[in-house]
Amino acid sequence: AGLPPRAAAEEGAREVTAAVIASTLTTLAVFLPLVFMEGMSGIMFKQLAYVVAFSLACSLTAALTLVPMLASRARQTAGTGTGHAGGGAADSPLRWLYDRSEGMFNRLEIAYKNLLALALRHRLIALGIPLVALGASLFLIPLVGTELMPASDESEVRVNAEMAVGTRVAVVDRSFEKIEAIVEEAVPEIANTVSFVGGTSWRARGGNTGEMRIALAPAGERDRSSEEVAADLRRRLSGIPGMKIRTRAGQGLFLLRLGTSGDDQIQMEVRGHDLEIADALARRVEQVVAETPGVTDTRISRESGTPEQLIIVDRRKAADMKLTVKKIANTLQTILSGTSAGNYREGGDEYRIRVKIADSERMDLRAVLDIPVTNADGERVALRNVVGVQPRRGPVLIERKDQERVIYISANIAGRNMGAILADIRQGLAAVPAPRDFSIQFGGDWEEQQRSNRELSLSFLLALALVYMVMASLYESLRDPFVVMFSVPVSAIGVILMLFLTGTTFNVQSYIGCIMLGGIVVNNAILLVDHINLLRRRDNMELSAAIAEAGRRRLRPILMTAATTMLAMTPLAIGMGEGGEAQAPMARAIVGGLLSSTVITLVVVPTLYSLMEGLRIRRREARKRLSAQLRIR
C-alpha cells in the first residue's frame, strides 16, 4: 500500500513471476505429448499443440513485461484523472458499476473466508465430500456413452442403391430415376445433387450399384438436420422394388475416415478361408446387427451372385486318355486368356507374343469343350471327354485383411451412441458360435477408437507426469506439487456431469479436452499454494493465517482466470456455426472440468495443504523434542 505505480508494478510482477511461469509451463507440458501422437489423433491435434505452445510462450513474455508496464501507466493516468474530475466522476456509470462490483467481491471474499475457516476446522469432512462426489459421478459414465468422433451436420446426405448382381446398367439407371424423383419432392433443402450409376463413382463396387450425393443448404438456413433428412428419405425410399437402398447423413470428419476400412460407423469382420461357411456366418452376424436397436442400413461386403462355370478335371479319365492335369490346364489357359510365346523386337522396341484363340471370350462353352488336346501318344482328345462342368455363383470380390479372407458387415447408427450399440451387439454375438478357424471381430470406428484411446491415455499419463515434474522442479518440493495435482481428479466431476447433461459422448474430442484440463486446472492451485508459501516465507505468518490471507488475496485472480477461460470456450461449447458440433465436446469437457475444479479447488487445496503441512510440522517438532531429550540424557 502507498507504493508509486512503477514500484507497485515491479513488486507485483516479482510476486507472481514464479506462479505465472509455473502455470504456463504446466500448460505447455500438457501439449508436448500431442506433438508425438500418430494416427488419426496426431493428424487432428498436432497442429493445435504447435499453435497453443507458441501462443503460450508469447503470452508469458507479455504477462511478465508488457502487462506490468501498461498497468503502471494506467494507474498513473487513473490517478491524474481522479484528481481533476471532482465529483462528476463519482456519478459516472463506470464508477457506479465499479462500486457495485467491488461490493459484490467484498461480500464474496467474506463468505469464502468463512467457508475456508469452516473447512480448516473439519478437514477430513472437507476432503471427503469431493471424493464421494467423484465416486458418485463415476456411475454416470455408462450413461454418457462413447464414440470415435462426434456427429456433425455436414449439410450432405448420401443415398446408395444396389440391385442384383448382373443387372444391366440401363435397368439400374431407370430405377435410379425413381430415387431422384422422390428425393426432389421430399427434400426442399437441396442445394445440388450428383448421381453415379453403374460403377462410375470412384468408390462404386459394381455395375449394379448407384450413389446419389445430396448437398443441402447451410444448417442455419434449414429447419431439419442432415440426420433428420436422411431418416425421412430412408422411410420414403424403402418401397422401391428390386433395390436395396441405404441412406445416411454425411459422416463427421469424413476425410479422416478415409484412413479406415470404410465410412460406416459400425463394422464387423468375419475372418476365415472357406467361402460358404464365411457367407453363412456373415448372414448370421448381419441378422444380429440388424436386430440391434439404433442400427440402420446393414450391408455385407461380399456379394455372391456372379454366374460362373467351374471346370473340373476328371483325373481318372485323364489318366486313361494319357493326359496330365497340367496339360489340360495349359490348353484351357491358351484358349481363354492366352499363353506367352516369347518376345518380338523391332526398332529397339520389344513386344510380348501371346497365343490364343481369336474372340475366345465370345465363344460358347460347348465350343470350347469341343476343342481337342493332344495326349502323350499324339492322339487328339476332346476336352469334354476329360473335364466336367459345374455351374455356380461365385463372389464378386474376395477381400483380405492381415493375410486372411474377410467379410465386412457394416451399418450406420441413429438415435443411440456407438458404445451402447456395440455392447448390445456383443451380447447378441455371444449366442453365435464361430466355427473352427473362423473369428468374429469388431472393426471400423471401434477399431480406430481403441487405437486412439490407447494413444490418448498414454499422452494423458505422460502429460500429468510432466506437469508434476515441472512443478517439483520449480517448487523444489515433492509435497506441494502433490497438493496442486489434487485439483486434477476433482475436475472429472464437472467433465462427467457436463457431458451427461448436454448429451455429449466420450470421444476423441472430449478426450483431448480432458488432457488439456490436466494443465489448465492446476493453474488456480498454483496461484494459491505459491502465495501461501510466499506469506509464510516473507511475512513469517502462521499456517492458518497464511492460508486464510492467501485465499482472500487470490480469490479474485482465480475467479477471473477461470471465468475468462470458460467464457472464451462457451461459443465453442454451444456448437455455433457450420461444423461446430465437431469441436463442441472438447470445449464442454474443459468448461465442465474447470467449473468444478475451480469451486472445489478453492476449498480442497488449502485444506489438503493445511493437513499435510500440519503433519510435517508435527513430525519436525517431535524430532526436535526427541533430540532435546537425547541431549538431556
Side-chain angles (χ1 to χ4, degrees):
L3 289 176
R6 180 171 179 175
E10 292 177 355
E11 180 62 25
R14 186 181 303 109
E15 185 175 297
V16 299
T17 295
V20 171
I21 292 176
S23 300
T24 305
L25 290 180
T26 54
T27 309
L28 282 172
V30 164
F31 285 95
L32 181 61
L34 299 182
V35 176
F36 302 101
M37 291 183 62
E38 299 179 351
M40 183 181 298
S41 302
I43 296 173
M44 294 175 64
F45 301 110
K46 188 173 295 185
Q47 290 79 7
L48 174 66
Y50 289 139
V51 172
V52 173
F54 182 75
S55 302
L56 286 174
C58 294
S59 69
L60 175 62
T61 304
L64 296 179
T65 56
L66 182 62
V67 172
M69 183 274 292
L70 294 177
S72 66
R73 302 294 296 176
R75 185 72 177 273
Q76 290 176 354
T77 304
T80 304
T82 303
H84 292 283
D91 298 330
S92 66
L94 288 178
R95 186 66 184 181
W96 179 87
L97 181 61
Y98 174 78
D99 292 338
R100 293 298 182 274
S101 61
E102 187 71 18
M104 182 191 68
F105 271 114
N106 289 335
R107 290 190 296 272
L108 188 60
E109 286 179 359
I110 295 173
Y112 171 62
K113 194 171 183 179
N114 294 333
L115 177 63
L116 185 56
L118 180 64
L120 292 176
R121 289 196 300 269
H122 305 86
R123 293 180 295 191
L124 295 181
I125 296 178
L127 295 175
I129 292 176
L131 294 177
V132 172
L134 176 61
S137 65
L138 296 179
F139 288 99
L140 293 176
I141 291 180
L143 302 178
V144 174
T146 61
E147 61 184 348
L148 175 61
M149 291 176 291
S152 178
D153 191 335
E154 294 186 342
S155 299
E156 184 184 62
V157 174
R158 300 189 179 192
V159 179
N160 294 87
E162 182 179 341
M163 300 190 75
V165 176
T167 304
R168 290 180 297 153
V169 175
V171 177
V172 179
D173 188 37
R174 286 196 298 269
S175 298
F176 218 79
E177 290 176 355
K178 300 178 183 178
I179 296 177
E180 293 173 339
I182 294 175
V183 169
E184 186 70 26
E185 178 184 357
V187 187
E189 301 93 342
I190 287 180
N192 57 74
T193 61
V194 179
S195 298
F196 305 93
V197 178
T200 56
S201 169
W202 68 278
R203 300 193 73 168
R205 299 189 301 155
N208 61 316
T209 63
E211 179 182 357
M212 184 177 186
R213 298 183 185 179
I214 307 168
L216 305 176
E221 301 178 9
R222 47 188 165 87
D223 298 327
R224 298 189 299 176
S225 66
S226 59
E227 189 63 47
E228 291 172 336
V229 173
D232 181 54
L233 285 178
R234 187 178 298 116
R235 178 180 58 83
R236 292 173 181 267
L237 297 174
S238 59
I240 298 180
M243 299 193 80
K244 184 176 182 180
I245 299 176
R246 306 172 70 244
T247 306
R248 69 181 189 278
Q251 304 300 315
L253 301 177
F254 170 71
L255 290 177
L256 293 178
R257 291 179 182 272
L258 295 180
T260 63
S261 54
D263 56 2
D264 293 308
Q265 295 164 300
I266 301 294
Q267 191 174 85
M268 307 295 300
E269 299 175 0
V270 174
R271 300 192 184 191
H273 184 76
D274 189 278
L275 296 177
E276 295 183 359
I277 296 178
D279 289 340
L281 185 58
R283 287 192 295 270
R284 182 71 182 93
V285 172
E286 183 196 24
Q287 181 182 357
V288 173
V289 174
E291 293 174 353
T292 304
V295 172
T296 63
D297 305 322
T298 59
R299 177 175 65 89
I300 298 179
S301 65
R302 183 181 295 174
E303 299 175 347
S304 295
T306 304
E308 62 183 28
Q309 301 288 340
L310 183 63
I311 299 178
I312 303 174
V313 178
D314 190 326
R315 294 176 179 270
R316 178 174 298 178
K317 289 184 178 180
D320 293 340
M321 297 289 185
K322 298 183 179 181
L323 288 169
T324 63
V325 175
K326 181 179 180 181
K327 178 73 173 180
I328 297 172
N330 288 339
T331 302
L332 287 171
Q333 180 182 354
T334 302
I335 295 170
L336 300 175
S337 60
T339 303
S340 178
N343 298 316
Y344 169 72
R345 296 181 178 88
E346 181 181 6
D349 296 325
E350 185 174 273
Y351 305 93
R352 177 69 58 86
I353 301 174
R354 180 171 293 275
V355 178
K356 67 185 293 292
I357 294 180
D359 299 326
S360 61
E361 61 274 3
R362 297 187 179 92
M363 291 178 61
D364 186 77
L365 181 59
R366 289 174 295 181
V368 172
L369 296 181
D370 287 337
I371 295 176
V373 58
T374 305
N375 64 6
D377 295 337
E379 299 173 345
R380 297 159 64 88
V381 180
L383 283 174
R384 67 172 61 256
N385 294 327
V386 291
V387 300
V389 179
Q390 178 180 334
R392 70 172 187 179
R393 291 184 176 270
V396 176
L397 178 68
I398 297 179
E399 297 174 289
R400 289 177 172 82
K401 184 176 181 180
D402 298 333
Q403 300 181 353
E404 288 184 290
R405 288 181 177 177
V406 61
I407 300 179
Y408 296 106
I409 299 91
S410 56
N412 289 310
I413 63 177
R416 298 181 69 195
N417 66 81
M418 187 180 69
I421 291 177
L422 289 180
D424 290 347
I425 293 176
R426 188 176 286 108
Q427 184 177 359
L429 291 177
V432 180
R436 183 179 179 183
D437 298 329
F438 276 80
S439 64
I440 304 173
Q441 301 179 15
F442 289 91
D445 278 11
W446 183 88
E447 185 179 18
E448 184 63 35
Q449 181 188 25
Q450 300 306 305
R451 186 182 300 112
S452 299
N453 285 349
R454 287 193 297 269
E455 293 184 358
L456 292 172
S457 299
L458 180 60
S459 298
F460 182 67
L461 295 176
L462 182 58
L464 293 182
L466 290 174
V467 168
Y468 184 86
M469 291 167 61
V470 167
M471 290 190 295
S473 62
L474 291 175
Y475 283 126
E476 297 182 354
S477 169
L478 298 178
R479 183 187 66 257
D480 290 348
F482 175 77
V483 175
V484 171
M485 292 291 290
F486 195 78
S487 60
V488 175
V490 297
S491 65
I493 301 173
V495 172
I496 297 172
L497 283 176
M498 178 64 75
L499 296 181
F500 174 74
L501 294 176
T502 58
T504 308
T505 60
F506 282 114
N507 50 60
V508 173
Q509 292 283 349
S510 52
Y511 215 137
I512 287 293
C514 294
I515 294 177
M516 295 172 63
L517 271 176
I520 295 175
V521 299
V522 298
N523 295 342
N524 295 334
I526 288 174
L527 286 175
L528 204 52
V529 172
D530 183 76
H531 202 65
I532 294 174
N533 292 335
L534 178 66
L535 293 178
R536 295 183 64 200
R537 182 177 63 253
R538 186 186 64 186
D539 301 339
N540 293 321
M541 279 192 179
E542 187 265 334
L543 178 60
S544 298
I547 292 175
E549 182 63 18
R552 185 189 69 81
R553 293 186 184 183
R554 289 293 176 255
L555 178 62
R556 293 192 191 188
I558 288 175
L559 293 180
M560 289 170 60
T561 54
T564 53
T565 305
M566 288 187 287
L567 289 175
M569 286 288 177
T570 298
L572 200 60
I574 296 174
M576 300 172 60
E578 292 287 335
E581 307 94 333
Q583 301 293 334
M586 177 180 67
R588 291 168 186 169
I590 293 176
V591 171
L594 192 56
L595 181 62
S596 67
S597 176
T598 301
V599 174
I600 297 175
T601 296
L602 287 170
V603 177
V604 170
V605 169
T607 304
L608 183 61
Y609 182 93
S610 172
L611 180 63
M612 298 190 66
E613 188 66 15
L615 292 175
R616 188 184 69 84
I617 292 174
R618 283 194 292 271
R619 286 198 300 267
R620 183 178 60 188
E621 292 177 350
R623 286 196 298 268
K624 288 182 179 179
R625 288 195 298 269
L626 181 60
S627 299
Q629 292 174 1
L630 292 176
R631 284 196 299 270
I632 293 174
R633 293 178 182 178

